[in-house]
Amino acid sequence: GDSVTQMEGPVTLSEEAFLTINCTYTATGYPSLFWYVQYPGEGLQLLLKATKADDKGSNKGFEATYRKETTSFHLEKGSVQVSDSAVYFCALKGQGGSEKLVFGKGTKLTVNP
Amino acid sequence: NAGVTQTPKFQVLKTGQSMTLQCAQDMNHNSMYWYRQDPGMGLRLIYYSASEGTTDKGEVPNGYNVSRLNKREFSLRLESAAPSQTSVYFCASSGPNSPLHFGNGTRLTVT
C-alpha cells in the first residue's frame, strides 16, 4: 500500500538557519503530495502541495518539489524563524478516487533565537 | 469562523467507560475522517465517511464505532475505553478540490 517516510526528529536549528526535512513516498501511479504543519495545541494546517511531477509547492517561504524519479518531496526553507517551530507532516493522496491521505510520522522542529 | 469543530477538547475516562466524540463541519464537505495521533506514530486513520450515509474502516478501527449523522456531523464512539486509546483525536473534512481541514483535537486520557 501507499506509504510516506520522513526524517525523524527532533530537529533543532538557530534562527535564520537553512531547513530541510526529507520525505520519500511509495505509491502507484501519480499521487498528490502535501506538507501539513501543526502548531502546539492545534490541528494540522495545509502548508503546501504539489499534484504532478516537477511541480513546486510554496507558501510562507517554504518550498517542496515533487520529484517522481526519486519519489521525494523534501521541505525546505532558506531562513527559519522562531515562529516556524512546529511539527511538520508529509502526506500523500493516491491517484484513485479516494480523498484519504496517508501521513508520515511527523518531524518536530524547534527554532531557537 | 468556518471550519471543523470538535467537542470536547479534553476528556478523562476510566477503563470500561464509554463516550462519544463529536465533530461538525460547516464547509459542505462530503468526506469526513477520524484520526488518532500518538507520539512517534504520526496520524493514523480510524474511520472515514466518503459521503452522508456511508462509513468505512481505516487503519486502526478496533474499539471504535462511528456515525455519520448528516452531512455536517461525524461522531466517534468508544464503547468500552481502554488505556491504549489514550491519544489525541482529530476530526477532518475534505471536498473534491479542497485540502483536508482539521479540527483542533480532543485530548483523551484513559486511566
Side-chain angles (χ1 to χ4, degrees):
Chain A
D2 297 346
S3 66
V4 173
T5 302
Q6 62 181 103
M7 65 183 285
E8 295 189 16
V11 174
T12 302
L13 296 173
S14 297
E15 206 165 23
E16 299 184 1
F18 184 84
L19 169 71
T20 300
I21 301 178
N22 290 337
C23 172
T24 57
Y25 68 89
T26 301
T28 55
Y30 295 87
S32 296
L33 301 173
F34 305 83
W35 277 100
Y36 277 79
V37 59
Q38 182 182 31
Y39 298 105
E42 298 183 9
L44 281 71
Q45 306 171 25
L46 179 66
L47 180 60
L48 54 84
K49 68 177 183 180
T51 57
K52 60 182 187 293
D54 299 325
D55 267 3
K56 177 185 284 188
S58 62
N59 186 25
K60 299 181 181 180
F62 291 89
E63 294 183 339
T65 301
Y66 187 161
R67 301 286 188 198
K68 180 69 174 173
E69 64 275 15
T70 55
T71 62
S72 65
F73 193 54
H74 304 321
L75 182 68
E76 296 181 336
K77 186 174 186 182
S79 177
V80 294
Q81 305 301 311
V82 172
S83 58
D84 293 326
S85 298
V87 181
Y88 293 82
F89 292 89
C90 185
L92 72 81
K93 182 169 74 172
Q95 193 175 3
S98 172
E99 294 171 20
K100 290 185 295 180
L101 292 188
V102 175
F103 286 89
K105 293 184 178 181
T107 302
K108 182 176 182 180
L109 170 67
T110 301
V111 181
N112 295 319
Chain B
N1 290 336
V4 179
T5 303
Q6 292 183 235
T7 56
K9 292 184 178 180
F10 301 94
Q11 184 71 51
V12 179
L13 294 177
K14 295 185 186 302
T15 297
Q17 288 185 318
S18 62
M19 79 161 295
T20 299
L21 281 64
Q22 306 287 353
C23 175
Q25 53 92 9
D26 58 5
M27 295 171 283
N28 202 35
H29 287 161
N30 287 326
S31 300
M32 297 186 74
Y33 312 81
W34 277 105
Y35 286 90
R36 60 178 288 173
Q37 183 179 26
D38 302 292
M41 300 295 291
L43 273 78
R44 294 181 291 172
L45 183 64
I46 304 171
Y47 271 94
Y48 69 100
S49 171
S51 62
E52 184 179 352
T54 67
T55 61
D56 287 287
K57 295 179 180 179
E59 183 183 354
V60 288
N62 290 345
Y64 306 95
N65 286 301
V66 291
S67 295
R68 184 73 182 269
L69 304 171
N70 47 56
K71 192 170 187 179
R72 290 187 64 248
E73 298 172 289
F74 188 40
S75 62
L76 178 71
R77 182 160 179 84
L78 287 69
E79 291 290 351
S80 178
S84 61
Q85 294 178 304
T86 293
S87 188
V88 182
Y89 292 86
F90 287 99
C91 178
S93 70
S94 69
N97 295 308
S98 74
L100 227 55
H101 289 259
F102 284 84
N104 283 335
T106 295
R107 285 150 183 79
L108 175 67
T109 301
V110 183
T111 62

